[in-house]
Amino acid sequence: MAISATAASAGLGSPGGVPGVSSPSKGTRLNIGTGFLGAVIGYLVGHWLGNFIASGYQAVQGSGANNVAIVLALALGALGWLTGMGVLSYPIAKLLGHDAPEERPEAGWGRYLRFTLDHKVVGVQYMVGVLLFFFTGGLFAMALRTELLSPTVHLFDPNRYIEIVSEHGTIMMMMATSLVLGPLGNFLVPLMIGSRRMALPRVEATSFWIFISGLMVILTAPALGGFQTGWTGYAPLQTQSNLGMDSYLVGFVVIGTGMILGGFNMVVTIINYRAPGMRWSRLPIFAWSMLATGSILATATPVLAVGLYMGLLDRTVRTANFVNSHGGNAFLWENLFWFFGHPEVYIMALPGFGIAAELLPVFTRKPLFAYRVGAAGMIGVALLSYFVWQHHLFQSGINPDMRPLFMLTTELISIPTGFIYLVGMGTLWRARIRLELPMLFVLALYFNFLIGGLTGVFLSDVPVNVTVHGSFFVLAHFHYTIMGGLVFAFFGGLYYWLPRITGSMMNETLGKIHFWMMFIFFNFTFFPLFIVGLLGMPRRVFEYAPRLQTLNDIATISSYLLGFSFVIFTINFVWSQFISPKPAPPNPWQSRGLEWMMPNPLPFHNFSRIPVILSDPYRYGEPDALPVADFGSEELRPETAGMAVDAAGQPIEKGDA
Amino acid sequence: MARRQSSSPDAVSNKTHTARLMGMWVPLMVVTELVFWFVLQPHIPPGRQSDSAQGQQFDITVLSMIATPVFELVIMYFIYSLLVWRHPKGAPLVDGPPIRSNMKIQTAWMVITSAMVFGAFVFGTYELVVPAGAGGGEGPNPIWKPSGKVLPVQVIAQQWRFTYRYPTLGGFETSQLVIPNHTEIAFHVTSLDVVHNFWAYQLGVKADANPQSDNVAYTHTNQVGRFTVRCAELCGIWHGAMYNYGHVVPRAQFSSWATSTKARLASNTKNLPPFSYAGYVPSANGAAGSFYSPQDKFGPLETYGAATPTS
């Protein structure tokens, strides 16, 4: 929504317009353009300021490269972006004691390019944002696979190669934290729990624009010489690395702030904004997964932020927190990083489980099997995730006597993780399985995650970890869990919920080609890498034993075809959502989910009156089951609900609900 | 579960479905286990050049023998479900039986997965503790040590190469890694700059190299031959090129190599800093391994003074 500063818009609507609809003068509307302008101004001011206050602080004597200037430039650039987008207008106005400008409902395309408070708009913004992130990171992945086509002939110099590895890893990890919670969580959770909005719409929208600024900051790294540490950013290599490292440190702080806000908002919403009757035992399993994910996001990320801040101090004002020779300790970073890093792994696994468990009952026409066990499993994974981080450091020499304990906690986590298989296999028993497109992705998740999960047991075993730690085996393992699990679930979720989100179906034939290419070539890309790792190839190397070339080439060529499957997805997405949209029926999958009970397109405030929830959404096969909710006597059509309608047929309400 | 329809899949009882699945899975599982134990085991990395390598080979085999049947059972179940319980495309929508839970199955599932997890934990701990850390880095004060005589070798990692120092043989430092066969070796891994990792692949040894810190890994050599040493922790631009080869040689050959190398490097050895397990500080002026320019007037060298050798 635009932030209008006109007096009229603060009250009863501007003259001449539909009551309640804002039409502020063009000059006051902040959007993505003013955001970019703010970012550039912020960057330049920060750079000047850094050079002004710390002219002698140079990364390498006489090089003119000044970490203070770059850090301030990136930080103020991000701040400038947020200011330019209008994210800060409301808090600033409040701080200065003014009447806060009010964000008004708005129709049209412009709202997607602005700071908009509607959770449905933010969901779509996130969807485009994560896809941008994902495809950017994917291009980096194909570049580094290309380098690995040959063990001896090199496409990139070693520095460029490590930059690409680091960019790929960091972008993908940043993206994956919000891949599902951002678009699907923000869009669907209010619809699923019977709410008109997220609890804190301003926080929600802020988290998205911070997310985008994080991507922009990390993309400045190549221009600053890249960084050589990979996404793990190990110190003291971090301290030694060139200016691109500042992009990593600042970028992760920025996006981490967005992650904390987004996760916090999700938890608050699910706890406080459930409709009457939406007991915990009726909460959709996807909302349970969002609750677990949100709570980890909000509580684990601050630990990373602390580590990043210390790293920034090391690089700018020489505090030597992580430099042993000056009283610091390199282990400190490893602990801080992985204390966040391992919960983050579950941030990237739980949403996938949530989507799979949410879709299964719809395509099997059966209740979700062992619903309580599934929900308890998600909470169990979230809790246990804080007690496993040292399994990344089994060979590091830190706390070696604690290795059996961390082996135990790591293996324990496979019990609640296994619940997702109990839920899935129980639901399939005697089911009426419909192999629709989203169901294919769910089944693929079960296949891929099984391989990812079982190889995790090898990694958790300390003696076996001696061989597989730091090798391509690890890489294949976590790609099987994150890409094989989360990314497959995300695309399954998109095919399933896009008719709800945009009102248009995706093309099924193109979707099936996308699925089969993605599934087959995902496995051909990453399965050989297990073997490559077992045969002794460490991660992040540009040279390897010539005997491993065939396996590496299979992976590389498959990765191109895997990449091509996303081209097909993009063509399908653009064609069937924008060029030739095929209107979807209100409930194309005959789901019992509350989110499908509303007309298409969705009314602005979702529910004209808050429904009373009568049962959980999984009561398939129960002839005398109550409907999922009581919507009151009126249909949810905007016209019958007495809501204002604008020229585009979009319902309008005054103010915020 | 009630038989809701007389059509074929629904007419089949739960017991029959279970029996069919078991009938397919059990023979497959038996074959898999036999193949892993008798056929694949000798070929599983990292080989048998040392005790720790052989231990890892055994552990990987055992875990594979646990994981593969689980994989087979789950995948078989999914394939079976899709074949038997698939709803014909285009047929009118019918709901399945409303099975919401089954306490017996849920309890059995939890008991079995918990038993497997605790089994894996006990097995892993035994395999870690008994063979003196299984070749992994145990930090500066290992509690799981081999009995008997041990040959210490200090592994010094730096960007982007490894050197090796033999403290009990006169303290010479060389870029060749030669160790005797049938001997207990203690690798004391340290770094001069950033975090590296000493991965002697065929020996089944892996330990992070941390600056100013000792990370000990034990192994017992069993076969003569060459082994690969690679850095397994990202250490900067040339991380991918940071590898060399070590050799396990017969004891007599090792003695003669050590004697000749000691003599050859005598003039170098006397210029090396005093030997210390606590780390390796080649110079106190920050010329090697400092992250801040020695001339930097704002740097820690200027602020806190020069780092001193720890021995």
Side-chain angles (χ1 to χ4, degrees):
Chain A
M1 254 146 274
I3 294 184
S4 56
T6 56
S9 67
L12 295 168
S14 47
V18 182
V21 184
S22 69
S23 53
S25 63
K26 289 285 177 196
T28 62
R29 297 183 128 201
L30 301 174
N31 58 27
I32 207 162
T34 51
F36 275 117
L37 189 66
V40 171
I41 293 171
Y43 187 93
L44 294 175
V45 169
H47 201 273
W48 171 81
L49 187 64
N51 278 321
F52 180 73
I53 61 174
S55 56
Y57 278 49
Q58 292 179 359
V60 176
Q61 203 72 13
S63 68
N66 186 331
N67 281 305
V68 180
I70 296 297
V71 168
L72 284 178
L74 293 172
L76 292 190
L79 200 65
W81 163 259
L82 295 180
T83 314
M85 283 305 306
V87 173
L88 302 176
S89 306
Y90 182 88
I92 289 173
K94 280 286 189 188
L95 277 173
L96 298 179
H98 297 305
D99 276 344
E102 192 179 343
E103 296 87 351
R104 312 296 307 219
E106 180 196 5
W109 282 102
R111 63 193 162 144
Y112 292 102
L113 302 175
R114 290 204 184 87
F115 182 69
T116 303
L117 299 192
D118 182 359
H119 75 95
K120 296 186 287 296
V121 175
V122 176
V124 173
Q125 288 172 332
Y126 255 119
M127 183 170 73
V128 176
V130 294
L131 285 173
L132 275 178
F133 252 68
F134 180 68
F135 294 145
T136 314
L139 288 174
F140 280 113
M142 295 209 288
L144 70 92
R145 278 314 318 172
T146 307
E147 164 64 37
L148 293 174
L149 267 172
S150 162
T152 46
V153 180
H154 298 303
L155 185 66
F156 305 112
D157 64 66
N159 191 34
R160 183 70 63 191
Y161 174 74
I162 286 294
E163 272 177 44
I164 292 170
V165 170
S166 306
E167 281 288 320
H168 163 71
T170 311
I171 286 179
M172 285 302 200
M173 286 292 177
M174 287 175 161
M175 174 281 296
T177 55
S178 302
L179 180 61
V180 171
L181 188 134
L184 300 177
N186 280 314
F187 195 102
L188 294 166
V189 164
L191 303 179
M192 285 181 165
I193 64 174
S195 165
R196 287 179 171 156
R197 59 173 170 97
M198 294 290 282
L200 309 164
R202 215 165 257 115
V203 169
E204 178 196 24
T206 304
S207 79
F208 170 72
W209 291 108
I210 291 180
F211 177 76
I212 292 298
S213 64
L215 175 65
M216 295 199 296
V217 172
I218 196 68
L219 282 177
T220 58
L224 296 169
F227 54 104
Q228 283 74 36
T229 60
W231 88 280
T232 47
Y234 270 22
L237 183 60
Q238 177 196 88
T239 324
Q240 184 197 53
S241 186
N242 48 6
L243 290 173
M245 198 74 225
D246 297 329
S247 307
Y248 166 92
L249 293 166
V250 175
F252 239 137
V253 169
V254 167
I255 210 156
T257 313
M259 284 153 63
I260 296 168
L261 295 178
F264 177 72
N265 189 27
M266 186 59 70
V267 174
V268 173
T269 305
I270 295 175
I271 291 176
N272 294 299
Y273 276 67
R274 282 169 295 140
M278 180 56 87
R279 301 176 194 155
W280 290 112
S281 59
R282 291 173 181 168
L283 194 67
I285 196 82
F286 178 73
W288 273 109
S289 78
M290 287 296 105
L291 182 66
T293 308
S295 62
I296 314 178
L297 273 171
T299 51
T301 318
V303 182
L304 173 73
V306 170
L308 295 163
Y309 183 58
M310 293 169 84
L312 281 171
L313 290 178
D314 271 14
R315 289 178 56 80
T316 51
V317 294
R318 276 79 154 157
T319 46
N321 287 310
F322 303 136
V323 182
N324 295 50
S325 51
H326 299 301
N329 199 315
F331 286 148
L332 180 59
W333 168 265
E334 294 180 14
N335 273 308
L336 288 170
F337 182 81
W338 286 116
F339 190 84
F340 151 81
H342 206 81
E344 199 211 356
V345 170
Y346 296 102
I347 291 169
M348 299 181 290
L350 289 168
F353 298 165
I355 292 177
E358 189 68 36
L359 266 54
L360 267 174
V362 179
F363 295 103
T364 56
R365 306 302 298 173
K366 274 188 68 196
L368 188 66
F369 184 77
Y371 163 87
R372 280 160 197 258
V373 176
M378 289 180 183
I379 301 300
V381 168
L383 289 175
L384 267 177
S385 71
Y386 289 96
F387 300 93
V388 298
W389 82 97
Q390 285 226 350
H391 66 213
H392 296 272
L393 307 169
F394 276 155
Q395 318 308 338
S396 69
I398 311 176
N399 278 359
D401 314 340
M402 297 287 274
R403 285 179 296 172
L405 174 73
F406 283 99
M407 173 161 43
L408 176 64
T409 53
T410 306
E411 286 168 353
L412 277 180
I413 218 165
S414 60
I415 300 175
T417 311
F419 291 168
I420 195 69
Y421 280 85
L422 173 69
V423 168
M425 291 164 76
T427 309
L428 284 178
W429 184 262
R430 291 182 168 272
R432 304 287 183 276
I433 302 169
R434 290 186 291 162
L435 276 188
E436 301 279 1
L437 197 44
M439 182 66 172
L440 291 176
F441 281 92
V442 170
L443 293 171
L445 172 138
Y446 275 99
F447 178 85
N448 299 334
F449 200 87
L450 188 60
I451 297 176
L454 289 172
T455 50
V457 178
F458 288 74
L459 284 158
S460 73
D461 185 272
V462 182
V464 172
N465 185 275
V466 173
T467 282
V468 290
H469 169 86
S471 74
F472 261 72
F473 189 92
V474 181
L475 179 142
H477 157 75
F478 72 74
H479 279 85
Y480 259 92
T481 53
I482 299 172
M483 180 151 188
L486 181 77
V487 175
F488 271 82
F490 170 69
F491 279 100
L494 275 192
Y495 282 109
Y496 178 72
W497 278 304
L498 264 176
R500 175 74 292 173
I501 294 169
T502 62
S504 309
M505 298 292 283
M506 290 286 272
N507 181 297
E508 200 183 341
T509 312
L510 284 175
K512 285 206 167 153
I513 296 172
H514 166 218
F515 168 76
W516 283 111
M517 280 194 74
M518 183 174 164
F519 179 64
I520 291 168
F521 294 112
F522 163 76
N523 278 286
F524 271 96
T525 304
F526 291 105
F527 199 84
L529 300 182
F530 282 119
I531 306 167
V532 162
L534 272 177
L535 292 176
M537 181 163 162
R539 292 168 68 184
R540 298 155 162 172
V541 296
F542 63 99
E543 279 182 350
Y544 55 90
R547 68 198 161 93
L548 301 176
Q549 190 178 1
T550 310
L551 287 166
N552 270 297
D553 287 356
I554 293 173
T556 299
I557 290 162
S558 305
S559 78
Y560 297 148
L561 294 162
L562 176 62
F564 186 70
S565 75
F566 297 114
V567 175
I568 295 176
F569 168 81
T570 309
I571 291 170
N572 191 357
F573 186 74
V574 172
W575 179 260
S576 50
Q577 302 297 328
F578 302 108
I579 297 175
S580 169
K582 186 177 147 201
N587 192 351
W589 317 106
Q590 295 82 34
S591 164
R592 283 182 55 94
L594 181 61
E595 77 272 22
W596 293 103
M597 298 293 150
M598 281 149 275
N600 199 6
L602 282 163
F604 176 70
H605 275 309
N606 306 344
F607 306 95
S608 62
R609 52 185 282 185
I610 297 296
V612 176
I613 309 299
L614 302 176
S615 77
D616 67 64
Y618 309 121
R619 297 198 170 262
Y620 299 96
E622 294 178 34
D624 36 355
L626 289 170
V628 72
D630 177 4
F631 292 97
S633 56
E634 287 174 306
E635 281 281 308
L636 263 167
R637 303 246 149 71
E639 52 275 25
T640 53
M643 295 165 83
V645 181
D646 66 9
Q650 291 283 338
I652 306 295
E653 270 200 2
K654 271 188 204 170
D656 213 348
Chain B
M1 272 131 266
R3 292 177 190 180
R4 293 166 55 83
Q5 291 172 9
S6 56
S7 65
S8 58
D10 293 297
V12 179
S13 74
N14 284 341
K15 273 189 181 162
T16 314
H17 284 308
T18 313
R20 280 184 195 165
L21 278 165
M22 287 295 141
M24 290 186 284
W25 176 62
V26 171
L28 186 65
M29 177 189 74
V30 172
V31 172
T32 312
E33 302 294 58
L34 292 175
V35 167
F36 262 110
W37 187 257
F38 291 106
V39 182
L40 293 177
Q41 183 173 203
H43 307 289
I44 284 177
R48 295 182 173 177
Q49 198 167 10
S50 71
D51 275 2
S52 46
Q54 191 162 353
Q56 288 157 32
Q57 184 184 60
F58 173 74
D59 298 342
I60 293 175
T61 310
V62 170
L63 290 186
S64 304
M65 289 172 65
I66 297 170
T68 316
V70 173
F71 177 77
E72 287 167 351
L73 179 62
V74 175
I75 294 305
M76 187 167 280
Y77 180 89
F78 273 86
I79 293 172
Y80 183 84
S81 309
L82 291 180
L83 292 176
V84 178
W85 296 313
R86 182 162 175 197
H87 188 66
K89 204 174 167 91
L93 213 54
V94 191
D95 282 355
I99 312 163
R100 298 184 71 83
S101 59
N102 182 325
M103 273 325 278
K104 257 204 238 164
I105 294 201
Q106 285 163 232
T107 313
W109 180 283
M110 284 179 211
V111 169
I112 292 170
T113 51
S114 305
M116 288 172 75
V117 161
F118 281 99
F121 163 65
V122 172
F123 172 73
T125 304
Y126 178 85
E127 287 290 304
L128 170 70
V129 173
V130 174
E138 292 200 79
N141 304 303
I143 55 168
W144 303 309
K145 295 186 227 179
S147 52
K149 276 188 74 177
V150 174
L151 173 72
V153 178
Q154 188 173 43
V155 178
I156 303 145
Q158 59 181 302
Q159 288 171 323
W160 288 273
R161 65 181 306 174
F162 293 102
T163 53
Y164 309 93
R165 210 168 168 189
Y166 293 79
T168 53
L169 300 169
F172 63 85
E173 183 176 342
T174 162
S175 56
Q176 290 174 293
L177 176 57
V178 179
I179 49 176
N181 199 9
H182 299 303
T183 308
E184 199 71 52
I185 313 284
F187 291 106
H188 291 262
V189 185
T190 188
S191 164
L192 298 186
D193 37 49
V194 301
V195 180
H196 301 268
N197 181 298
F198 171 71
W199 182 14
Y201 172 66
Q202 286 87 345
L203 295 185
V205 169
K206 190 174 276 164
D208 271 11
N210 299 292
Q212 303 206 334
S213 173
D214 186 23
N215 195 6
V216 184
Y218 297 105
T219 194
H220 183 95
T221 50
N222 280 335
Q223 287 173 4
V224 295
R226 194 175 81 157
F227 57 89
T228 318
V229 174
R230 287 210 73 147
C231 178
E233 203 68 75
L234 181 53
C235 57
I237 299 172
W238 291 99
H239 166 61
M242 187 170 166
Y243 62 91
N244 60 13
Y245 298 99
H247 296 270
V248 180
V249 297
R251 284 184 166 203
Q253 195 182 331
F254 176 75
S255 299
S256 60
W257 172 82
T259 314
S260 64
T261 311
K262 185 181 169 186
R264 185 164 57 82
L265 295 175
S267 59
N268 284 349
T269 307
K270 67 174 191 278
N271 291 324
L272 293 177
F275 182 83
S276 164
Y277 283 128
Y280 191 111
V281 183
S283 60
N285 62 6
S290 175
F291 297 91
Y292 305 111
S293 164
Q295 289 83 40
D296 184 353
K297 61 183 172 177
F298 301 103
L301 280 167
E302 205 58 35
T303 313
Y304 308 119
T308 47
T310 47
S311 57

